[in-house]
Short mmCIF file of all heavy atoms in Angstrom, two decimals:
data_model
loop_
_atom_site.label_atom_id
_atom_site.label_comp_id
_atom_site.label_asym_id
_atom_site.label_seq_id
_atom_site.Cartn_x
_atom_site.Cartn_y
_atom_site.Cartn_z
N PHE A 57 -72.84 17.64 37.08
CA PHE A 57 -72.04 18.88 36.90
C PHE A 57 -72.84 20.11 37.28
O PHE A 57 -72.26 21.15 37.70
CB PHE A 57 -71.55 19.00 35.46
CG PHE A 57 -70.39 18.01 35.18
CD1 PHE A 57 -70.63 16.85 34.49
CD2 PHE A 57 -69.11 18.25 35.67
CE1 PHE A 57 -69.61 15.97 34.29
CE2 PHE A 57 -68.12 17.41 35.48
CZ PHE A 57 -68.31 16.25 34.77
N PHE A 58 -74.18 20.02 37.01
CA PHE A 58 -74.97 21.28 37.18
C PHE A 58 -76.18 21.15 38.10
O PHE A 58 -76.81 22.18 38.43
CB PHE A 58 -75.44 21.78 35.80
CG PHE A 58 -74.39 21.90 34.79
CD1 PHE A 58 -74.29 21.05 33.77
CD2 PHE A 58 -73.40 22.90 34.98
CE1 PHE A 58 -73.28 21.16 32.84
CE2 PHE A 58 -72.37 22.98 34.05
CZ PHE A 58 -72.32 22.08 32.93
N GLY A 59 -76.42 19.96 38.70
CA GLY A 59 -77.57 19.73 39.49
C GLY A 59 -77.42 20.27 40.95
O GLY A 59 -76.54 21.06 41.24
N LEU A 60 -78.37 19.84 41.80
CA LEU A 60 -78.40 20.32 43.22
C LEU A 60 -77.16 20.00 43.96
O LEU A 60 -76.68 20.84 44.73
CB LEU A 60 -79.58 19.66 43.87
CG LEU A 60 -80.95 20.28 43.70
CD1 LEU A 60 -82.03 19.43 44.41
CD2 LEU A 60 -80.91 21.72 44.28
N GLU A 61 -76.62 18.79 43.74
CA GLU A 61 -75.37 18.38 44.53
C GLU A 61 -74.14 18.67 43.80
O GLU A 61 -73.08 18.35 44.25
CB GLU A 61 -75.48 16.87 44.77
CG GLU A 61 -76.70 16.47 45.66
CD GLU A 61 -76.88 14.97 45.72
OE1 GLU A 61 -77.14 14.36 44.67
OE2 GLU A 61 -76.74 14.45 46.86
N ALA A 62 -74.20 19.35 42.68
CA ALA A 62 -72.99 19.61 41.89
C ALA A 62 -71.90 20.36 42.67
O ALA A 62 -70.74 19.98 42.61
CB ALA A 62 -73.39 20.48 40.65
N GLY A 63 -72.30 21.34 43.49
CA GLY A 63 -71.31 22.07 44.27
C GLY A 63 -70.54 21.19 45.21
O GLY A 63 -69.34 21.25 45.30
N LYS A 64 -71.29 20.31 45.84
CA LYS A 64 -70.70 19.36 46.82
C LYS A 64 -69.70 18.45 46.10
O LYS A 64 -68.57 18.26 46.55
CB LYS A 64 -71.79 18.54 47.48
CG LYS A 64 -71.35 17.82 48.71
CD LYS A 64 -72.56 17.10 49.35
CE LYS A 64 -72.88 15.79 48.65
NZ LYS A 64 -74.07 15.13 49.22
N PHE A 65 -70.14 17.89 44.90
CA PHE A 65 -69.25 16.97 44.22
C PHE A 65 -68.03 17.68 43.66
O PHE A 65 -66.88 17.15 43.61
CB PHE A 65 -70.02 16.34 43.05
CG PHE A 65 -70.96 15.24 43.50
CD1 PHE A 65 -72.23 15.12 42.98
CD2 PHE A 65 -70.53 14.31 44.44
CE1 PHE A 65 -73.03 14.08 43.42
CE2 PHE A 65 -71.36 13.29 44.88
CZ PHE A 65 -72.57 13.13 44.39
N ARG A 66 -68.22 19.00 43.24
CA ARG A 66 -67.14 19.74 42.65
C ARG A 66 -66.05 20.00 43.72
O ARG A 66 -64.89 19.76 43.50
CB ARG A 66 -67.64 21.06 42.07
CG ARG A 66 -66.75 21.52 40.96
CD ARG A 66 -67.38 22.75 40.26
NE ARG A 66 -68.66 22.45 39.66
CZ ARG A 66 -69.62 23.36 39.49
NH1 ARG A 66 -69.49 24.59 39.92
NH2 ARG A 66 -70.79 23.03 38.92
N GLN A 67 -66.54 20.35 44.93
CA GLN A 67 -65.58 20.62 46.03
C GLN A 67 -64.84 19.28 46.36
O GLN A 67 -63.60 19.31 46.61
CB GLN A 67 -66.33 21.14 47.27
CG GLN A 67 -65.41 21.45 48.49
CD GLN A 67 -64.38 22.50 48.16
OE1 GLN A 67 -64.68 23.52 47.49
NE2 GLN A 67 -63.17 22.28 48.54
N ALA A 68 -65.62 18.24 46.46
CA ALA A 68 -64.98 16.91 46.85
C ALA A 68 -64.01 16.44 45.75
O ALA A 68 -62.91 15.98 46.08
CB ALA A 68 -66.12 15.82 46.93
N THR A 69 -64.32 16.70 44.45
CA THR A 69 -63.41 16.38 43.37
C THR A 69 -62.09 17.15 43.49
O THR A 69 -61.00 16.63 43.37
CB THR A 69 -64.05 16.64 41.98
OG1 THR A 69 -65.27 15.91 41.96
CG2 THR A 69 -63.11 16.24 40.87
N PHE A 70 -62.31 18.52 43.76
CA PHE A 70 -61.16 19.37 43.95
C PHE A 70 -60.22 18.84 45.10
O PHE A 70 -59.07 18.75 44.98
CB PHE A 70 -61.57 20.77 44.19
CG PHE A 70 -60.49 21.73 44.48
CD1 PHE A 70 -59.68 22.22 43.42
CD2 PHE A 70 -60.18 22.11 45.76
CE1 PHE A 70 -58.69 23.08 43.68
CE2 PHE A 70 -59.10 23.02 45.99
CZ PHE A 70 -58.34 23.47 44.96
N ASN A 71 -60.89 18.53 46.25
CA ASN A 71 -60.15 17.97 47.37
C ASN A 71 -59.40 16.70 47.01
O ASN A 71 -58.19 16.58 47.32
CB ASN A 71 -61.06 17.71 48.54
CG ASN A 71 -61.56 18.97 49.22
OD1 ASN A 71 -61.04 20.07 48.98
ND2 ASN A 71 -62.57 18.82 50.01
N SER A 72 -60.16 15.86 46.29
CA SER A 72 -59.53 14.51 45.96
C SER A 72 -58.31 14.76 45.05
O SER A 72 -57.32 14.11 45.28
CB SER A 72 -60.50 13.69 45.16
OG SER A 72 -61.24 12.91 46.08
N LEU A 73 -58.46 15.60 44.06
CA LEU A 73 -57.34 15.82 43.09
C LEU A 73 -56.16 16.47 43.78
O LEU A 73 -54.99 16.00 43.57
CB LEU A 73 -57.81 16.69 41.93
CG LEU A 73 -58.76 15.99 40.92
CD1 LEU A 73 -59.17 16.97 39.83
CD2 LEU A 73 -58.11 14.80 40.28
N THR A 74 -56.36 17.51 44.56
CA THR A 74 -55.25 18.21 45.24
C THR A 74 -54.51 17.21 46.18
O THR A 74 -53.29 17.12 46.16
CB THR A 74 -55.62 19.40 45.95
OG1 THR A 74 -56.76 19.10 46.81
CG2 THR A 74 -56.00 20.59 45.01
N ILE A 75 -55.31 16.41 46.94
CA ILE A 75 -54.70 15.50 47.91
C ILE A 75 -53.97 14.41 47.09
O ILE A 75 -52.84 14.04 47.41
CB ILE A 75 -55.84 14.86 48.78
CG1 ILE A 75 -56.21 15.89 49.84
CG2 ILE A 75 -55.19 13.66 49.56
CD1 ILE A 75 -57.43 15.55 50.58
N ALA A 76 -54.58 13.89 46.01
CA ALA A 76 -53.92 12.86 45.23
C ALA A 76 -52.64 13.31 44.58
O ALA A 76 -51.61 12.64 44.62
CB ALA A 76 -54.89 12.30 44.11
N ILE A 77 -52.62 14.52 44.03
CA ILE A 77 -51.37 15.08 43.43
C ILE A 77 -50.32 15.27 44.49
O ILE A 77 -49.16 14.84 44.32
CB ILE A 77 -51.68 16.41 42.73
CG1 ILE A 77 -52.52 16.09 41.46
CG2 ILE A 77 -50.40 17.11 42.34
CD1 ILE A 77 -53.05 17.34 40.77
N GLY A 78 -50.71 15.84 45.63
CA GLY A 78 -49.79 16.07 46.71
C GLY A 78 -49.27 14.77 47.26
O GLY A 78 -47.99 14.58 47.38
N ALA A 79 -50.13 13.82 47.54
CA ALA A 79 -49.67 12.56 48.13
C ALA A 79 -48.81 11.76 47.13
O ALA A 79 -47.76 11.16 47.55
CB ALA A 79 -50.88 11.69 48.52
N ALA A 80 -49.17 11.77 45.90
CA ALA A 80 -48.41 11.04 44.88
C ALA A 80 -47.04 11.66 44.71
O ALA A 80 -46.02 10.96 44.62
CB ALA A 80 -49.15 11.01 43.52
N THR A 81 -46.98 12.97 44.72
CA THR A 81 -45.66 13.67 44.53
C THR A 81 -44.79 13.35 45.68
O THR A 81 -43.63 12.90 45.47
CB THR A 81 -45.86 15.19 44.43
OG1 THR A 81 -46.84 15.47 43.46
CG2 THR A 81 -44.63 15.98 44.13
N VAL A 82 -45.21 13.57 46.89
CA VAL A 82 -44.39 13.36 48.07
C VAL A 82 -43.98 11.84 48.22
O VAL A 82 -42.81 11.55 48.39
CB VAL A 82 -45.07 13.89 49.33
CG1 VAL A 82 -44.14 13.60 50.57
CG2 VAL A 82 -45.33 15.33 49.22
N SER A 83 -44.96 11.05 48.00
CA SER A 83 -44.65 9.61 48.21
C SER A 83 -43.71 9.06 47.08
O SER A 83 -42.86 8.22 47.30
CB SER A 83 -45.88 8.74 48.24
OG SER A 83 -46.59 8.85 47.05
N THR A 84 -43.75 9.64 45.89
CA THR A 84 -42.89 9.29 44.81
C THR A 84 -41.40 9.67 45.13
O THR A 84 -40.49 8.91 44.96
CB THR A 84 -43.32 9.84 43.48
OG1 THR A 84 -44.66 9.41 43.17
CG2 THR A 84 -42.40 9.38 42.34
N VAL A 85 -41.30 10.92 45.72
CA VAL A 85 -39.95 11.38 46.08
C VAL A 85 -39.39 10.49 47.11
O VAL A 85 -38.23 10.04 47.02
CB VAL A 85 -40.00 12.83 46.56
CG1 VAL A 85 -38.69 13.21 47.27
CG2 VAL A 85 -40.37 13.79 45.43
N ILE A 86 -40.20 10.14 48.16
CA ILE A 86 -39.69 9.32 49.24
C ILE A 86 -39.39 7.95 48.75
O ILE A 86 -38.34 7.35 49.05
CB ILE A 86 -40.74 9.16 50.35
CG1 ILE A 86 -40.94 10.57 51.03
CG2 ILE A 86 -40.41 8.11 51.41
CD1 ILE A 86 -42.09 10.62 51.98
N ALA A 87 -40.23 7.37 47.84
CA ALA A 87 -40.03 6.03 47.28
C ALA A 87 -38.76 6.02 46.40
O ALA A 87 -38.01 5.01 46.43
CB ALA A 87 -41.19 5.62 46.46
N THR A 88 -38.48 7.12 45.71
CA THR A 88 -37.21 7.14 44.89
C THR A 88 -36.01 7.13 45.84
O THR A 88 -35.06 6.40 45.56
CB THR A 88 -37.24 8.43 44.01
OG1 THR A 88 -38.46 8.48 43.25
CG2 THR A 88 -36.04 8.48 43.10
N CYS A 89 -36.06 7.98 46.88
CA CYS A 89 -34.96 7.96 47.83
C CYS A 89 -34.80 6.54 48.43
O CYS A 89 -33.70 6.06 48.59
CB CYS A 89 -35.22 8.93 48.94
SG CYS A 89 -35.27 10.62 48.35
N ALA A 90 -35.92 5.96 48.78
CA ALA A 90 -35.88 4.61 49.43
C ALA A 90 -35.27 3.62 48.48
O ALA A 90 -34.48 2.79 48.88
CB ALA A 90 -37.26 4.14 49.85
N SER A 91 -35.65 3.67 47.22
CA SER A 91 -35.05 2.64 46.29
C SER A 91 -33.59 2.84 46.04
O SER A 91 -32.86 1.91 45.82
CB SER A 91 -35.84 2.57 44.93
OG SER A 91 -36.16 3.84 44.44
N ILE A 92 -33.16 4.06 46.09
CA ILE A 92 -31.69 4.38 45.95
C ILE A 92 -31.02 3.76 47.16
O ILE A 92 -29.96 3.07 47.02
CB ILE A 92 -31.34 5.89 45.83
CG1 ILE A 92 -31.96 6.38 44.59
CG2 ILE A 92 -29.87 6.15 45.97
CD1 ILE A 92 -31.91 7.95 44.46
N ALA A 93 -31.56 3.97 48.35
CA ALA A 93 -30.94 3.45 49.54
C ALA A 93 -30.92 1.92 49.56
O ALA A 93 -29.88 1.28 49.84
CB ALA A 93 -31.67 3.92 50.82
N MET A 94 -32.00 1.29 48.98
CA MET A 94 -32.15 -0.17 49.09
C MET A 94 -31.16 -0.77 48.00
O MET A 94 -30.69 -1.83 48.21
CB MET A 94 -33.57 -0.55 48.81
CG MET A 94 -34.51 -0.28 49.88
SD MET A 94 -34.16 -1.11 51.49
CE MET A 94 -34.62 -2.78 51.03
N LEU A 95 -31.08 -0.14 46.85
CA LEU A 95 -30.41 -0.78 45.70
C LEU A 95 -29.05 -0.20 45.35
O LEU A 95 -28.29 -0.71 44.52
CB LEU A 95 -31.37 -0.75 44.46
CG LEU A 95 -32.65 -1.50 44.61
CD1 LEU A 95 -33.56 -1.19 43.47
CD2 LEU A 95 -32.39 -3.00 44.71
N ARG A 96 -28.71 0.96 45.86
CA ARG A 96 -27.44 1.58 45.52
C ARG A 96 -26.49 1.85 46.71
O ARG A 96 -25.31 2.08 46.46
CB ARG A 96 -27.70 2.90 44.79
CG ARG A 96 -28.16 2.73 43.36
CD ARG A 96 -27.20 2.03 42.47
NE ARG A 96 -27.45 2.10 41.11
CZ ARG A 96 -28.20 1.19 40.47
NH1 ARG A 96 -28.71 0.19 41.11
NH2 ARG A 96 -28.41 1.35 39.15
N ALA A 97 -27.01 1.77 47.91
CA ALA A 97 -26.19 2.29 49.04
C ALA A 97 -25.39 1.14 49.62
O ALA A 97 -24.76 1.33 50.66
CB ALA A 97 -27.04 2.87 50.09
N GLY A 98 -25.41 -0.07 49.01
CA GLY A 98 -24.66 -1.16 49.54
C GLY A 98 -25.33 -1.68 50.81
O GLY A 98 -26.55 -1.56 50.93
N ARG A 99 -24.57 -2.21 51.73
CA ARG A 99 -25.11 -2.73 52.93
C ARG A 99 -25.20 -1.72 54.02
O ARG A 99 -24.32 -0.86 54.18
CB ARG A 99 -24.33 -3.94 53.42
CG ARG A 99 -24.64 -5.18 52.62
CD ARG A 99 -24.04 -6.43 53.24
NE ARG A 99 -22.59 -6.38 53.21
CZ ARG A 99 -21.81 -7.42 53.70
NH1 ARG A 99 -22.40 -8.38 54.30
NH2 ARG A 99 -20.54 -7.32 53.59
N PHE A 100 -26.28 -1.66 54.75
CA PHE A 100 -26.35 -0.76 55.91
C PHE A 100 -27.17 -1.47 56.96
O PHE A 100 -27.87 -2.40 56.71
CB PHE A 100 -26.95 0.58 55.54
CG PHE A 100 -28.37 0.51 54.95
CD1 PHE A 100 -29.50 0.53 55.76
CD2 PHE A 100 -28.48 0.46 53.55
CE1 PHE A 100 -30.74 0.44 55.19
CE2 PHE A 100 -29.79 0.42 52.99
CZ PHE A 100 -30.90 0.43 53.80
N ARG A 101 -27.06 -1.00 58.21
CA ARG A 101 -27.65 -1.64 59.33
C ARG A 101 -29.18 -1.54 59.17
O ARG A 101 -29.71 -0.45 58.83
CB ARG A 101 -27.20 -1.00 60.65
CG ARG A 101 -27.48 -1.83 61.88
CD ARG A 101 -27.36 -0.94 63.06
NE ARG A 101 -26.03 -0.43 63.21
CZ ARG A 101 -25.29 -0.57 64.27
NH1 ARG A 101 -25.71 -1.20 65.29
NH2 ARG A 101 -24.01 -0.06 64.29
N GLY A 102 -29.90 -2.62 59.32
CA GLY A 102 -31.39 -2.64 59.25
C GLY A 102 -31.86 -2.76 57.84
O GLY A 102 -33.05 -2.55 57.59
N LYS A 103 -30.99 -3.02 56.85
CA LYS A 103 -31.45 -3.16 55.51
C LYS A 103 -32.41 -4.31 55.33
O LYS A 103 -33.40 -4.15 54.59
CB LYS A 103 -30.25 -3.39 54.56
CG LYS A 103 -30.64 -3.44 53.11
CD LYS A 103 -29.40 -3.38 52.21
CE LYS A 103 -29.86 -3.49 50.76
NZ LYS A 103 -28.76 -3.30 49.82
N LEU A 104 -32.16 -5.39 55.99
CA LEU A 104 -33.04 -6.56 55.89
C LEU A 104 -34.42 -6.24 56.32
O LEU A 104 -35.39 -6.79 55.78
CB LEU A 104 -32.41 -7.68 56.80
CG LEU A 104 -32.76 -9.12 56.31
CD1 LEU A 104 -32.17 -9.36 54.95
CD2 LEU A 104 -32.21 -10.11 57.33
N LEU A 105 -34.56 -5.40 57.31
CA LEU A 105 -35.85 -5.03 57.90
C LEU A 105 -36.53 -3.94 57.05
O LEU A 105 -37.77 -3.78 57.18
CB LEU A 105 -35.62 -4.51 59.32
CG LEU A 105 -36.76 -4.75 60.34
CD1 LEU A 105 -36.92 -6.27 60.51
CD2 LEU A 105 -36.39 -4.14 61.62
N SER A 106 -35.76 -3.26 56.23
CA SER A 106 -36.31 -2.13 55.48
C SER A 106 -37.37 -2.49 54.50
O SER A 106 -38.42 -1.77 54.43
CB SER A 106 -35.26 -1.26 54.84
OG SER A 106 -34.24 -0.91 55.75
N PHE A 107 -37.11 -3.56 53.80
CA PHE A 107 -38.10 -3.90 52.75
C PHE A 107 -39.43 -4.28 53.27
O PHE A 107 -40.49 -3.75 52.85
CB PHE A 107 -37.59 -5.00 51.80
CG PHE A 107 -38.52 -5.29 50.70
CD1 PHE A 107 -38.76 -4.40 49.70
CD2 PHE A 107 -39.19 -6.51 50.67
CE1 PHE A 107 -39.64 -4.70 48.69
CE2 PHE A 107 -40.13 -6.80 49.69
CZ PHE A 107 -40.36 -5.87 48.68
#
Side-chain angles (χ1 to χ4, degrees):
Chain A
F57 287 103
F58 307 110
L60 275 177
E61 293 171 300
K64 194 174 81 182
F65 283 138
R66 208 173 297 152
Q67 181 60 44
T69 306
F70 177 77
N71 288 346
S72 270
L73 288 178
T74 49
I75 287 167
I77 290 170
T81 308
V82 177
S83 60
T84 303
V85 170
I86 293 173
T88 306
C89 297
S91 45
I92 292 170
M94 292 295 288
L95 297 169
R96 285 297 191 269
R99 282 193 291 179
F100 57 89
R101 198 194 299 233
K103 183 171 179 173
L104 207 62
L105 212 61
S106 303
F107 182 69

